[in-house]
Amino acid sequence: MTADALLGRLDKVRARGRGQWSARCPAHEDRGPSLSIRELDDGRVLLHCFGGCNVHAIVAAVGLDIADLFPPRDTTPGAGAQRERRPFSAQQLLDLAAFESSIVVLVTADLVAGRDADRGRLIEAAARLQRIAEVARGV
Ligand SMILES: [Zn+2]
């Protein structure tokens, strides 16, 4: 799907730039727009709740499934195998790294300010950045 199908089910959706939105998180009692939504060029949708909800809870709260965050698979013969070998382009890896880095900055800012910070997400961001580096190296 595209992000539109998800955005249509969320409240207080605001555009934050090309392929980026914020909205009220459907998975917790959200006063501010804690949910960040990002659509990548290949149709995948990235979600992050700054209240700490996990992605499964967020999509379930609007009646969707995690698989709905991914574009439908290309069923032309050979296309699947090709995609399995190189699932990400360099640009996509950079986009993912930029997204994870922005999470590191935001969580760190919360920590420094003495606010409730999502330490688990910080550790996850570090792990994802590590994984992105591995994928870039072809590991
Ligand atoms: Zn939430």
Side-chain angles (χ1 to χ4, degrees):
M1 72 165 201
T2 60
D4 294 342
L6 173 70
L7 296 172
R9 296 165 189 245
L10 297 172
D11 287 333
K12 299 235 168 189
V13 176
R14 291 229 161 77
R16 296 285 181 205
R18 195 177 81 87
Q20 294 184 62
W21 300 267
S22 67
R24 204 174 252 178
C25 174
H28 77 275
E29 210 54 61
D30 192 10
R31 274 166 292 156
S34 303
L35 187 65
S36 150
I37 303 111
R38 175 143 188 207
E39 184 179 44
L40 302 182
D41 288 340
D42 66 1
R44 277 175 302 146
V45 178
L46 303 180
L47 294 177
H48 178 67
C49 170
F50 291 98
C53 301
N54 72 45
V55 173
H56 293 271
I58 296 166
V59 292
V62 290
L64 293 173
D65 185 81
I66 216 83
D68 293 320
L69 300 179
F70 294 85
R73 277 184 176 275
D74 190 344
T75 51
T76 39
Q82 192 102 27
R83 189 171 294 178
E84 290 305 316
R85 273 201 304 275
R86 273 207 84 86
F88 297 102
S89 70
Q91 183 60 54
Q92 287 163 350
L93 289 172
L94 284 170
D95 284 346
L96 288 168
F99 182 76
E100 293 302 321
S101 301
S102 68
I103 285 167
V104 170
V105 169
L106 289 163
V107 176
T108 305
D110 280 345
L111 276 172
V112 169
R115 289 190 293 265
D116 231 4
D118 187 355
R119 288 158 199 262
R121 186 61 184 85
L122 190 59
I123 290 162
E124 192 184 334
R128 285 186 187 182
L129 284 165
Q130 181 66 40
R131 183 70 193 127
I132 289 164
E134 286 169 8
V135 170
R137 278 199 303 271
V139 173

